[in-house]
Amino acid sequence: MVVMEQVPAVKRPSERAVTGAAYAVLFVLGLLMGLLGAFQHSWYLKPAAIPISAVGCVLFLFAVCYGAGRAMRGKLAALAPASGWLVMTMIWLAGRTEGDVIIAGDLSGYIYLYGGLAAVLTGVLLSPTAHGGSWLLTQHSYGTRPSEPRQP
């Protein structure tokens, strides 16, 4: 005689909960990128004095924002890491009573800050919209098409 044990069915989490958790993880990823980038953006390639880490941070920020938007098929997914990065960057830009500033006003700081803002904007704008495709790269009809004149 074989005894079979009944195992309750595994309930899958709702789709909204998984999507919300994905947005939260993307926001935290943006916070971490802002934290690490603020302290590591000033590495220079010595002979040419090129701030290589600031350029790398900007490219990585664009890749994460654009990739999140493409993977989740929406601009909100691209905006989640972008907003996390912006929050953390604004915290580091705030002046302190001691006069210390994390993101300095030199070439690497400007590339990191303004290049990061351009990367965030570009990554969000190039991400697909909910109806599919990028609104920036697709043809749109503006207004209604005029009706054809009637033939007698």
Side-chain angles (χ1 to χ4, degrees):
M1 175 189 239
V2 176
V3 177
M4 297 179 75
E5 181 180 342
Q6 284 191 342
V7 178
V10 177
K11 291 187 178 182
R12 296 181 63 181
S14 71
E15 186 175 327
R16 289 184 184 182
V18 171
T19 304
Y23 287 139
V25 167
L26 287 171
F27 181 78
V28 170
L29 177 63
L31 287 174
L32 289 173
M33 289 171 49
L35 174 69
L36 295 175
F39 287 107
Q40 301 299 323
H41 72 277
S42 60
W43 292 3
Y44 284 87
L45 189 61
K46 290 297 181 189
I50 299 172
I52 194 72
S53 63
V55 173
C57 288
V58 168
L59 292 175
F60 186 66
L61 180 62
F62 169 75
V64 168
C65 291
Y66 181 68
R70 295 282 296 182
M72 293 185 68
R73 296 179 184 92
K75 292 192 183 301
L76 187 60
L79 197 58
S83 59
W85 180 82
L86 284 169
V87 165
M88 190 59 72
T89 301
M90 292 304 124
I91 290 172
W92 298 133
L93 284 176
R96 298 174 41 119
T97 57
E98 297 88 20
D100 297 338
V101 177
I102 303 298
I103 300 174
D106 60 351
L107 179 63
S108 65
Y110 291 137
I111 288 176
Y112 177 72
L113 181 61
Y114 296 119
L117 290 173
V120 162
L121 180 67
T122 307
V124 171
L125 289 179
L126 291 178
S127 295
T129 57
H131 61 78
S134 172
W135 69 271
L136 187 62
L137 299 177
T138 56
Q139 295 287 331
H140 294 285
S141 62
Y142 298 101
T144 59
R145 173 179 271 174
S147 62
E148 297 291 327
R150 293 186 181 189
Q151 298 293 331

